Amino acid sequence: MELDKAYDPKAAEENHYKRWEENGYFSPEINQLSDAPKYSIVIPPPNVTGSLHMGHALQHTIMDVLTRWKRMQGYRTLWLPGTDHAGISVQRKVVEQLKKEEHKKPTDIGREEFVRRAWAWKEEYGNTITEQMRREGVSVDWSRHRFTMDESLSLAVRSVFCTLYEEGSIYRGLRIVNWCPKDKTVLSDLEVKDEVKKDGKLTYLKYPITGTDRTITVATTRPETMLGDTAVAVNPSDDRYKDLIGKTVSLPLTDREIPIVADEYVDAEFGTGAVKVTPAHDPNDYQIGQRHNLHQLLIMNDDGSMNSAAGSEFEGLDRFVAREKVVERFEELGLLEKVDDYEVTLPICERCKTIVEPILSEQWFVKMEEMRDMALALMRNEGVPHFSPRIPHEKVYTAWLENLKDWTISRQLWWGHQIPAWYDIEGNVYVARTEAEAYEKAGTRSLIQDQDVLDTWFSSGLWAFSTFGWIDDTTSTDDLERYLPTDVLVTGRDIIFLWVSRMIMLTRKFTGKKAFEDVVITGTVLGKDGKPMSKSRNNGVDPIEMFDKFGVDATRVYLASIATGADIKWNDLLIETYRNFANKIWNATRFCLMNSEGAVVDHASLMERGGLSLPDRWIISRLNQTAIEVNRALDKYEFHIAVSLLYHFFWDEFCDWYIELKKDEINAGDVEATTRILTILEIALRMLHPFMPYLTEELWLKLPGVSAELHHAAYKQADGTIMLTSFPPGDPSAFDEQADREMTSIIDVIKKVRNIRAEMNISPSIKFDLHIAADEAFQNVFRSNEAQILKLARADRVVIAKELEVPKASAKAVTSHASVAVPL
RNA sequence: GCCGUCUUAGCUCAGCGGUAGAGCACUCGCUUCACACGCGAUAGGUCAGAAGUUCAAAUCUUCUAGACGGCACCA
């Protein structure tokens, strides 16, 4: 059989994925052994709004390597795919579409219609990423694909909500929350990012003390909130203000008198030592307000504009316009003390970058103490999850848990899991799994469901078990029984708190099981400029483009070659390395097949050690050592080590030495030699398969004598494919230290001669006599491999003796087992 | 403010207690019958700086400088 001169990745990529998928190779049911151990992974569900980026490609590569490796080891392997409904993202897409195409707002079409359109949007665009994933070659079981708003996953969400509510862990309360005026929804602390603003201002406002001509000065970065002040606080031990405690100030721009209270929170050393208190717009002020029973005056609307409580002069103004106006008015009144430059850190919405407003709002929360303690106990007692890399993630994860606060789970959106709570006319709340149940509890005919939906992370927090069919604690499914806990979670460090920790806690709480044993935290693939890839920086690298340019397999090996957890700057040159590697594998196979008539892959051919030559014994020894080390590296999630081992074994040892040494025999059509090299190649391809699925399948199918006979015992009934062969475990009894040593001595000699040739400028076409001196044992080694030495050293004749007997004008060199000389 | 990471060959990165490694780029030589996406051979580093522990440190400790990440606070 004759192969093309260069590997064409596209053809292989188009040939195999569909067949694998249609033949059910990705399904755990392909495994026919009833006692096979299981291996399971759930995918971090990408957003339906997303398209494949390099971070996905990296994580998917790692998960696929693990899945294919374990499958080849005979595990009943399930990698479960799915997508996330991505509340805010989809909502925003639909709002934009509505605005663009119909010039309408969501309220114009109503909730029901809006949700219908969101589903339509999801149907139309939500599969982009799953189609791209097929190109990656991921061996996920598409028949088990889940979406966070699937019926059964939605039922799971409801029952978890109800259970937590019934036991008092979920409550509804008025709290200071992070409010995004653009998205018009509350956000959890984790969805708020910080942005340092160097040119901020600190404004000092003077408040007149009632009944005196004195004033008290307070400082603020948000002057407009003074319209909502309901007190001024000072430290009780601050002598400057002791006599003012209990007095009131006349709040400028309003007709209100507000008290001066004493509170330990106030730091007498900072600023003026007096703090304006706005309980409805600041978390600390809220706390002070609670302690002093202060009125909570809300002065903003949900879009960040001032409301009527801010006074007629300000009503309707945007918060930033109001800010300027307040300062102006204070200046007019002679109550503006000064404005200092001040570096402020602003909270911004993670998604839309709008400045988040702390605001008093009634929301749903989850108390986390119990689940937090479960997770901490899991770590303390069992070291679960085991993070790779362990440093720093284990410590960061633990520290975060220890300081965990209540989780804000309601969102003012229409797209998502609507909160299963209903209200009657008096405002009584009925939390129920179904509307009917709510009516039954309420005993009335008129209920309104809570308008909010749940944080997207609430449903993805159940992902580790809701995907296996869990609906409530009476559920029993085979998948749940079999695949939970999952074996490993592979994800990025940005969602360790948002997602990983919540899955651990919720899974433990609701199933009593662990979500997963191990967590692999991948690094960040940075742009060429060393910054995280982003649209605004325009430094992104599209995985699909890389697939087109270098092939999927080359891209996968490159991604796998990055040390676990390390960040890496993108560099096309490195992918090229692995594109070249793919081509090397292709051509090595091409060579093995050129004169392969009569030879077949035959594992028995490697067993009769008696009749094997030194290069045979050596390459078999190296093959087995490599296999053992690759398995060991994968066991430890050291993918880059596995890649390096395979790269050097295949290129340096198999191609540069073994093939070169066996070339004459193969070219001469020596069936035994060709059988052996084909068999060694076949084993090497198996080891490469988890990393380079397309290339290895393409080549494996071309090898003579391959069939389902070579499959792992669990897959004998399936049609022939490399993905169902056994992953080479490596056989320590095949280690041959003597062969390693002897072969090394021959390689050393040849390298020295080549060195001499280059140093002495001897043209490759010129042949010469080569003198080798060594002890008797090595003389025998060199004698019995004389033909190979002659060929690779490009010598005419080899003289082997105890001592070198050469003219003075000779180039000499010494290896650890021999001396060599070339007469000039 | 607290916690943490990184700084190794021109570039991108491995190594993390025992005589400095890879790929690419560079230099030299090869139209060698699998592969020029190739073959062969060189060259290139006081492992950011300083001090310490050790028989032995790129690798452990401390400090300094630079790059960066997370958390908290932010009147």
Side-chain angles (χ1 to χ4, degrees):
Chain A
M1 183 185 314
E2 184 77 14
L3 266 55
D4 290 342
K5 227 175 159 181
Y7 170 51
D8 172 21
K10 284 225 179 65
E13 286 160 24
E14 278 158 19
N15 282 342
H16 304 300
Y17 195 83
K18 202 165 171 230
R19 192 180 97 254
W20 291 334
E21 186 181 344
E22 283 171 358
N23 287 356
Y25 295 162
F26 300 156
S27 152
E29 282 72 36
I30 195 76
N31 190 309
Q32 296 286 297
L33 298 181
S34 56
D35 59 347
K38 73 87 190 177
Y39 189 79
S40 56
I41 298 179
V42 290
I43 204 167
N47 289 351
V48 283
T49 50
S51 59
L52 198 72
H53 58 61
M54 221 28 104
H56 293 125
L58 169 59
Q59 290 168 14
H60 295 167
T61 295
I62 286 169
M63 285 183 264
D64 199 42
V65 166
L66 289 169
T67 302
R68 286 179 184 271
W69 171 55
K70 286 292 177 184
R71 185 183 294 113
M72 289 172 78
Q73 288 185 332
Y75 284 73
R76 181 182 309 281
T77 306
L78 171 60
W79 180 13
L80 185 143
T83 43
D84 189 284
H85 67 276
I88 293 183
S89 298
V90 171
Q91 173 114 6
R92 194 175 292 138
K93 296 268 185 200
V94 177
V95 169
E96 280 168 15
Q97 191 180 45
L98 203 56
K99 189 177 173 191
K100 199 172 153 200
E101 292 173 10
E102 302 175 45
H103 305 288
K104 283 182 181 166
K105 289 184 302 204
T107 43
D108 295 337
I109 60 171
R111 180 171 195 141
E112 207 175 314
E113 176 61 14
F114 184 89
V115 170
R116 202 189 59 74
R117 296 200 187 196
W119 276 104
W121 188 95
K122 183 250 172 190
E123 290 309 318
E124 185 165 355
Y125 301 108
N127 296 325
T128 307
I129 196 154
T130 52
E131 285 311 313
Q132 291 174 320
M133 283 170 62
R134 285 180 159 84
R135 177 85 187 273
E136 293 181 296
V138 292
S139 61
V140 297
D141 183 2
W142 290 110
S143 74
R144 282 179 170 83
H145 182 274
R146 298 285 181 269
F147 175 57
T148 46
M149 281 171 68
D150 283 349
E151 164 109 43
S152 108
L153 277 72
S154 299
L155 291 173
V157 165
R158 284 198 168 190
S159 76
V160 164
F161 186 96
C162 289
T163 303
L164 290 173
Y165 178 79
E166 283 153 13
E167 66 175 38
S169 296
I170 281 185
Y171 64 95
R172 192 160 177 264
L174 201 58
R175 293 291 135 86
I176 294 283
V177 296
N178 309 297
W179 185 267
C180 176
K182 185 167 178 216
D183 291 326
K184 293 184 190 170
T185 179
V186 66
L187 302 170
S188 74
D189 293 347
L190 289 169
E191 291 161 297
V192 177
K193 295 279 213 167
D194 287 341
E195 187 174 279
V196 177
K197 197 163 177 277
K198 295 212 191 288
D199 58 347
K201 301 272 183 254
L202 187 62
T203 306
Y204 291 77
L205 304 174
K206 292 195 274 193
Y207 290 175
I209 292 157
T210 312
T212 72
D213 52 7
R214 291 173 61 189
T215 59
I216 185 166
T217 304
V218 296
T220 179
T221 53
R222 295 187 289 151
E224 73 282 10
T225 61
M226 61 75 51
L227 298 166
D229 282 1
T230 55
V232 170
V234 297
N235 191 288
S237 59
D238 190 336
D239 289 337
R240 291 172 296 177
Y241 301 120
K242 259 187 178 154
D243 61 318
L244 296 179
I245 296 165
K247 293 204 159 56
T248 63
V249 301
S250 308
L251 189 65
L253 311 182
T254 74
D255 54 5
R256 288 185 288 120
E257 280 196 14
I258 58 174
I260 297 172
V261 300
D263 197 284
E264 292 288 350
Y265 165 77
V266 180
D267 178 0
E269 305 296 317
F270 190 94
T272 63
V275 179
K276 60 189 277 305
V277 183
T278 325
H281 290 277
D282 184 280
N284 293 307
D285 294 7
Y286 174 82
Q287 296 293 335
I288 297 173
Q290 291 294 97
R291 287 194 285 273
H292 299 278
N293 212 6
L294 299 175
H295 177 47
Q296 300 160 334
L297 185 63
L298 194 69
I299 54 164
M300 274 183 212
N301 298 310
D302 64 5
D303 61 354
S305 65
M306 311 308 284
N307 66 16
S308 60
S312 55
E313 195 181 347
F314 297 95
E315 185 178 359
L317 295 181
D318 179 76
R319 51 188 167 155
F320 301 114
V321 176
R323 178 172 300 176
E324 282 174 35
K325 183 150 188 178
V326 164
V327 176
E328 271 170 36
R329 296 287 286 116
F330 264 77
E331 188 152 29
E332 284 167 30
L333 294 169
L335 293 172
L336 182 66
E337 186 172 308
K338 60 175 174 176
V339 180
D340 283 351
D341 290 335
Y342 190 69
E343 181 177 308
V344 287
T345 312
L346 298 171
I348 59 164
C349 173
E350 178 185 49
R351 295 180 178 279
C352 72
K353 313 296 180 204
T354 304
I355 296 173
V356 165
E357 196 66 29
I359 209 166
L360 190 67
S361 176
E362 185 153 49
Q363 301 291 342
W364 291 89
F365 299 88
V366 186
K367 292 182 191 166
M368 301 304 289
E369 286 86 352
E370 184 199 358
M371 285 189 273
R372 187 260 324 267
D373 290 344
M374 284 178 169
L376 285 171
L378 210 50
M379 177 57 81
R380 201 166 41 240
N381 302 333
E382 302 181 49
V384 169
H386 176 266
F387 282 94
S388 294
R390 187 168 177 184
I391 298 168
H393 301 114
E394 182 177 307
K395 195 173 169 184
V396 172
Y397 163 82
T398 307
W400 182 79
L401 279 181
E402 282 164 353
N403 297 302
L404 195 51
K405 291 190 284 188
D406 290 0
W407 174 15
T408 317
I409 50 168
S410 42
R411 294 291 181 276
Q412 287 65 51
L413 304 171
W414 283 349
W415 174 244
H417 300 281
Q418 195 169 353
I419 289 176
W422 285 262
Y423 304 94
D424 63 17
I425 290 177
E426 281 99 48
N428 297 308
V429 62
Y430 305 95
V431 169
R433 282 162 182 79
T434 62
E435 189 168 32
E437 192 187 318
Y439 275 102
E440 200 177 304
K441 281 185 178 174
T444 164
R445 294 185 163 271
S446 166
L447 291 177
I448 297 173
Q449 188 171 1
D450 195 295
Q451 292 300 294
D452 292 352
V453 300
L454 289 164
D455 181 2
T456 304
W457 297 107
F458 190 90
S459 52
S460 35
L462 316 180
W463 189 250
F465 57 103
S466 63
T467 48
F468 294 131
W470 188 95
I471 289 174
D472 59 40
D473 49 21
T474 66
T475 313
S476 156
T477 70
D478 287 346
D479 277 9
L480 204 52
E481 203 49 49
R482 190 169 259 164
Y483 300 114
L484 188 73
T486 61
D487 288 83
V488 61
L489 185 80
V490 179
T491 191
R493 53 178 160 252
D494 52 333
I495 54 175
I496 294 178
F497 305 148
L498 279 168
W499 188 51
V500 178
S501 67
R502 283 159 181 174
M503 261 202 294
I504 290 167
M505 292 187 278
L506 287 161
T507 308
R508 190 63 164 177
K509 164 92 181 166
F510 284 90
T511 68
K513 292 191 184 182
K514 299 167 211 164
F516 27 77
E517 301 281 341
D518 297 344
V519 177
V520 172
I521 300 295
T522 58
T524 309
V525 184
L526 307 169
K528 292 178 177 96
D529 57 358
K531 303 253 170 62
M533 292 185 185
S534 75
K535 283 193 191 103
S536 55
R537 282 196 202 87
N538 197 27
N539 61 347
V541 178
D542 181 0
I544 304 292
E545 274 177 37
M546 293 301 118
F547 295 165
D548 289 341
K549 201 165 164 193
F550 301 107
V552 171
D553 288 323
T555 311
R556 287 173 57 121
V557 184
Y558 170 48
L559 292 169
S561 77
I562 301 167
T564 309
D567 291 350
I568 187 133
K569 267 188 236 181
W570 188 262
N571 189 345
D572 278 5
L573 289 174
L574 291 166
I575 284 206
E576 231 176 295
T577 298
Y578 295 108
R579 189 270 316 262
N580 296 350
F581 183 45
N583 195 240
K584 189 74 180 175
I585 296 166
W586 175 269
N587 274 291
T589 306
R590 179 169 182 257
F591 170 76
C592 292
L593 290 174
M594 281 178 113
N595 295 290
S596 63
E597 209 161 312
V600 291
V601 170
D602 174 13
H603 288 254
S605 69
L606 306 185
M607 299 312 232
E608 330 141 349
R609 306 243 161 90
L612 298 180
S613 67
L614 174 59
D616 292 329
R617 285 185 288 127
W618 170 75
I619 199 70
I620 291 167
S621 177
R622 291 295 310 135
L623 180 71
N624 282 282
Q625 287 176 46
T626 304
I628 282 178
E629 287 171 29
V630 166
N631 279 293
R632 197 180 290 148
L634 291 177
D635 250 328
K636 292 191 285 187
Y637 303 115
E638 293 173 338
F639 305 95
H640 63 297
I641 291 179
V643 168
S644 166
L645 286 164
L646 290 167
Y647 184 92
H648 291 293
F649 170 76
F650 198 91
W651 201 311
D652 301 348
E653 297 181 322
F654 183 68
C655 290
D656 286 351
W657 290 102
Y658 188 68
I659 288 185
E660 292 304 327
L661 288 167
K662 304 295 281 185
K663 214 165 212 173
D664 289 343
E665 291 170 51
I666 308 292
N667 281 338
D670 180 329
V671 172
E672 264 184 53
T674 308
T675 290
R676 268 195 298 274
I677 205 166
L678 283 170
T679 307
I680 290 159
L681 173 67
E682 196 261 350
I683 294 169
L685 289 178
R686 292 188 193 190
M687 290 198 284
L688 289 160
H689 178 259
F691 298 90
M692 312 178 90
Y694 291 119
L695 169 68
T696 52
E697 177 75 323
E698 182 76 11
L699 292 175
W700 189 84
L701 290 169
K702 295 185 194 301
L703 299 181
V706 298
S707 70
E709 290 294 304
L710 294 176
H711 283 183
H712 187 282
Y715 314 115
K716 291 288 188 195
Q717 84 299 343
D719 289 344
T721 170
I722 192 172
M723 67 174 281
L724 298 178
T725 60
S726 290
F727 193 87
D731 175 10
S733 76
F735 289 6
D736 189 335
E737 283 180 35
Q738 191 188 347
D740 290 350
R741 199 167 50 243
E742 291 180 3
M743 192 62 210
T744 303
S745 74
I746 290 174
I747 289 172
D748 285 348
V749 164
I750 294 169
K751 286 193 162 209
K752 285 295 179 198
V753 177
R754 286 170 172 172
N755 184 327
I756 289 169
R757 185 184 288 278
E759 295 287 300
M760 296 293 140
N761 265 321
I762 303 169
S763 154
S765 55
I766 295 175
K767 298 207 170 181
F768 44 60
D769 287 354
L770 169 61
H771 295 256
I772 305 174
D775 68 24
E776 211 159 298
F778 279 100
Q779 284 181 44
N780 288 333
V781 172
F782 298 132
R783 275 200 192 93
S784 51
N785 293 281
E786 196 179 309
Q788 282 79 10
I789 295 170
L790 278 175
K791 181 172 167 63
L792 297 191
R794 304 188 137 261
D796 257 341
R797 198 164 67 94
V798 183
V799 180
I800 299 165
K802 194 164 187 336
E803 301 291 342
L804 286 179
E805 287 176 28
V806 291
K808 272 207 174 136
S810 297
K812 295 180 190 172
V814 179
T815 75
S816 45
H817 297 294
S819 304
V820 298
V822 175
L824 299 172

